[in-house]
């Protein structure tokens, strides 16, 4: 199968399952020429195909970052959430500013994906001096996000804070994270949030 | 949802509790009264005046839809389910016999939320005639009774006397009704064969059915469904809600985090 025929299969898919299969095949090529089509699929409102497209973009990795940043859909929050997911999983620090603002997006699926992604950026790609500053900004944003009215966004913030704590250059920044996790563990209204912050806190204590 | 509900609802966001109660107590403007009932439920206003006015609204005869329905009664029933006050139970039981299907559905859902076993006989009565009677109403998009809401309520209310009448609904022609029966029977018997039917439903070819099954396994906290939920093709947001339901059900049964709890959270983390 040539790339052109794989691209054509995506355009000509006549069912949800057909589209999913076509996107999977295209994603598996890992070919950077597939990037624009994979980004287009994020806007199709087909969750199965979107998962496959995100997976394809993450496999392609670094070359997909600039096109993803350029084509962020300001009008379709479904597509935006998937793009943020892809950027989050690739972890390229060029996405830092986008992820910071996406963590305050009006759409909760966007905030959720961004909060998780902020914790797992590839910090080693930044100069040491930039790194501490960037981590401070991320910490500040995630502490705010941990008070979001939506449980799933707070959940994602906990996951983000836990990963951030592991990658910190300045160990002192761990203290506010632990305090935040303790507070959520004791007083969040949602059982699931208390459980997840307990797990995060426990895992950070055992890796100290 | 009525066509203009979102717009008016946004305007109503700025009401005070006092205004909302006054808007529900008046009878001159049915549409304002309709939104006031919604508002008091949305913001869970636990006030005796709000409760009394909502119970009174369950008997409203002014606000009628073109099809003969009772829009205000529907909203009042929904709101009463959210307020958590058991004084609403007798009036909601009466609403189970309202001529409007959607009032009966809202009442069944509210009674499920309130968790009062006094509702069981009224709910069971709606299953009279069994599956044979559970047919579509000609020209309407629904069956003669809101069977899924009724079955779900009976399961949540632990109505073990309902096991026998619910069982035949596992074979109903409407998938949603079959799922509701499986969900109720799992809650009433703890027998995994019923939970496993919902796991099978997570592999339905139709997205709508997979979505419904996600909500069902979340509502009953079916631990065996964790991996099938993670793997089904549906929106991550719905999978997360389902896994949250399973996690909370499981955490309520253990003292400290265990492997199963950590496994659920690991799956949830991947879906963010």
């Amino acid at each position: 199968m040539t790339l052109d025929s794989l691209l054509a299969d995506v355009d000509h898919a006549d069912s949800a399952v057909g589209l999913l299969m076509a996107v999977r095949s295209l994603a598996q090529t890992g070919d950077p020429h597939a990037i624009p089509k994979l980004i287009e699929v994020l806007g199709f409102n087909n969750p199965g195909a979107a998962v496959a497209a995100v997976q394809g973009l993450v496999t392609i990795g670094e070359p997909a970052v600039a096109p993803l940043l350029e084509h962020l859909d300001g009008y379709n929050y479904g597509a935006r959430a998937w793009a943020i997911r892809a950027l989050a999983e690739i972890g390229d620090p060029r996405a830092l500013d986008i992820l910071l603002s996406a963590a305050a997006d009006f759409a909760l699926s966007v905030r959720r994906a961004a909060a998780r992604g902020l914790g797992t950026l590839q910090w080693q790609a930044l100069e040491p001096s930039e790194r501490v500053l960037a981590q401070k900004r991320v910490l500040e944003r995630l502490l705010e996000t941990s008070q979001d009215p939506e449980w799933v966004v707070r959940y994602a913030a906990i996951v983000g804070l836990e990963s951030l704590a592991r990658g910190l250059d300045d160990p002192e920044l761990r203290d506010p994270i632990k305090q935040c996790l303790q507070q959520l563990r004791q007083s969040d209204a949602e059982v699931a949030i208390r459980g997840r912050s307990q797990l995060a806190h426990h895992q950070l204590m055992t890796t100290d | 949802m009525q066509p203009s509900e979102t717009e008016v609802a946004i305007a109503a966001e700025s009401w005070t509790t006092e205004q909302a109660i006054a808007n529900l107590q008046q009878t001159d403007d049915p549409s304002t009264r309709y939104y006031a009932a919604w508002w008091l439920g949305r913001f869970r206003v636990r006030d005796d005046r709000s409760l009394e006015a909502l119970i009174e609204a369950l008997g409203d005869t002014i606000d009628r839809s073109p099809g003969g329905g009772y829009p205000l009664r529907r909203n009042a029933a929904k709101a009463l389910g959210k307020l958590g006050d058991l004084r609403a139970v007798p009036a909601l039981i009466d609403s189970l016999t309202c001529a409007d299907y959607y009032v009966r559905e809202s009442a069944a859902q509210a009674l499920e939320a309130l968790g009062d076993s006094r509702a069981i006989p009224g709910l069971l009565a709606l299953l009279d005639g069994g599956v044979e009677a559970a047919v579509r109403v000609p020209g309407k998009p629904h069956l003669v009774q809101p069977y899924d809401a009724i079955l779900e309520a009976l399961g949540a209310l632990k109505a073990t006397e309902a096991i026998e009448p619910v069982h035949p609904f596992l074979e109903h022609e409407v998938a949603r009704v079959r799922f509701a029966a499986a969900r109720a029977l799992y809650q009433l018997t703890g027998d995994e064969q019923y939970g496993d039917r919902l796991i099978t439903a997570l592999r339905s070819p139709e997205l709508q059915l997979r979505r419904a099954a996600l909500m069902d396994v979340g509502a009953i906290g079916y631990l065996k469904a964790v991996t099938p939920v993670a793997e089904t093709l549906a929106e991550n947001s719905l999978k997360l809600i389902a896994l949250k339901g399973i996690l909370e059900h499981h955490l309520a049964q253990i003292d400290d985090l265990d492997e199963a709890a950590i496994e659920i959270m690991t799956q949830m983390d991947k879906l963010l």
Side-chain angles (χ1 to χ4, degrees):
Chain A
M1 289 283 255
T2 65
L3 188 73
D4 282 342
S5 68
L6 291 170
L7 290 168
D9 286 349
V10 173
D11 286 331
H12 299 139
D14 55 4
S15 69
V17 176
L19 179 67
L20 170 62
M21 295 306 173
V23 174
R24 269 191 190 156
S25 305
L26 179 63
Q28 276 163 6
T29 63
D31 186 334
H33 292 105
I35 292 170
K37 185 59 73 187
L38 292 173
I39 291 177
E40 197 186 323
V41 171
L42 304 181
F44 283 1
N45 192 25
N46 176 319
V51 168
V54 167
Q55 214 41 58
L57 290 162
V58 172
T59 308
I60 294 165
E62 196 274 332
V65 175
L68 274 166
L69 290 173
E70 278 160 35
H71 293 101
L72 263 194
D73 194 331
Y75 299 98
N76 177 342
Y77 64 82
R80 199 159 70 245
W82 290 114
I84 293 293
R85 275 178 70 79
L87 288 167
E89 284 194 43
I90 296 169
D92 189 304
R94 278 176 290 167
L96 175 63
D97 286 329
I98 288 288
L99 291 176
L100 284 169
S101 58
D105 197 276
F106 80 90
L108 73 92
S109 52
V110 176
R111 300 205 295 283
R112 177 183 91 201
R116 176 202 183 214
L118 281 169
T120 48
L121 288 172
Q122 306 294 318
W123 301 113
Q124 64 277 15
L126 289 172
E127 293 296 316
S129 58
E130 294 174 312
R131 220 181 283 163
V132 176
L133 190 66
Q135 289 174 349
K136 276 188 179 158
R137 290 173 70 201
V138 167
L139 173 63
E140 207 173 301
R141 172 58 82 195
L142 286 179
L143 290 176
E144 278 172 51
T145 313
S146 76
Q147 306 300 315
D148 195 279
E150 297 289 345
W151 75 269
V152 77
V153 179
R154 299 201 297 283
Y155 187 102
I158 295 166
V159 174
L161 284 167
E162 185 187 330
S163 338
L164 175 67
R166 297 176 198 287
L168 284 175
D169 284 49
D170 177 358
E172 282 196 12
L173 295 182
R174 290 179 74 129
D175 296 338
I177 293 177
K178 284 184 194 164
Q179 279 168 24
C180 173
L181 293 173
Q182 274 290 36
Q183 181 258 322
L184 288 169
R185 176 186 173 173
Q186 283 159 8
S187 52
D188 198 276
E190 297 283 350
V191 178
I193 295 298
R194 298 202 296 272
R196 187 63 185 86
S197 38
Q198 183 183 352
L199 178 63
H201 193 260
H202 175 78
Q203 287 178 338
L204 291 183
M205 296 308 268
T206 50
T207 53
D208 264 350
Chain B
M1 189 188 280
Q2 310 271 316
S4 59
E5 184 161 332
T6 317
E7 264 171 60
V8 182
I10 290 166
E13 294 269 351
S14 58
W15 288 357
T16 62
T17 302
E18 292 300 320
Q19 279 171 322
I21 291 171
N23 286 339
L24 182 62
Q25 286 169 332
Q26 60 86 35
T27 53
D28 293 337
D29 178 354
S31 80
T32 299
R33 204 175 176 209
Y34 174 82
Y35 294 112
W38 170 84
W39 196 96
L40 292 164
R42 164 70 181 78
F43 296 102
R44 293 188 159 72
V45 178
R46 293 188 177 88
D47 179 296
D48 281 354
R49 290 167 301 166
S50 144
L51 181 80
E52 276 165 34
L54 285 168
I55 290 174
E56 194 178 316
L58 281 180
D60 171 71
T61 53
I62 302 167
D63 188 7
R64 304 297 301 268
S65 70
Y70 295 92
L72 175 62
R73 293 189 190 191
R74 298 173 191 171
N75 268 9
K78 288 193 182 99
L80 287 166
K82 290 181 178 154
L83 295 192
D85 194 316
L86 297 186
R87 284 177 287 176
V89 169
L92 285 167
I93 291 173
D94 287 345
S95 296
L96 289 174
T97 57
C98 179
D100 180 355
Y101 170 93
Y102 296 104
V103 172
R104 300 197 298 280
E105 181 181 53
S106 302
Q109 288 163 343
L111 288 163
E112 173 183 358
L114 294 178
D116 189 316
S117 58
R118 282 179 289 171
I120 294 171
L123 289 162
L124 269 175
L126 297 183
L127 299 184
D128 279 352
V131 178
E132 291 70 31
V135 295
R136 288 185 186 280
V137 179
K140 298 274 183 180
H142 57 69
L143 303 170
V144 291
Q145 296 294 350
Y147 291 99
D148 44 357
I150 296 163
L151 299 173
E152 287 171 15
L154 287 167
L157 294 178
K158 301 268 177 275
T160 44
E161 62 268 51
I163 294 172
E164 206 178 313
V166 168
H167 199 271
F169 284 88
L170 287 171
E171 308 302 327
H172 196 277
E173 56 162 337
V174 176
R176 269 309 286 124
V177 175
R178 293 198 297 274
F179 297 178
R183 166 173 162 171
L185 288 168
Y186 176 75
Q187 288 178 306
L188 297 176
T189 65
D191 188 333
E192 292 194 345
Q193 63 163 304
Y194 302 118
D196 291 347
R197 284 173 184 253
L198 296 172
I199 289 183
T200 305
L202 286 170
R203 294 191 285 263
S204 303
E206 285 170 59
L207 176 60
Q208 285 299 351
L209 295 183
R210 298 195 297 274
R211 286 174 175 157
L214 280 172
M215 294 304 100
D216 288 333
V217 293
I220 63 172
Y222 194 48
L223 195 54
K224 274 175 72 183
V226 172
T227 306
V229 164
E231 288 172 356
T232 191
L233 291 175
E235 297 85 339
N236 285 7
S237 45
L238 295 187
K239 296 188 193 188
L240 283 161
I241 292 170
L243 290 175
K244 175 182 186 247
I246 299 173
L247 175 63
E248 295 191 338
H249 191 264
H250 183 66
L251 288 177
Q253 295 168 340
I254 54 175
D255 295 327
D256 204 354
L257 297 179
D258 65 0
E259 269 181 45
I262 293 171
E263 169 60 17
I264 304 168
M265 291 191 260
T266 306
Q267 295 290 355
M268 289 175 74
D269 291 3
K270 289 186 207 159
L271 294 165
L272 294 171

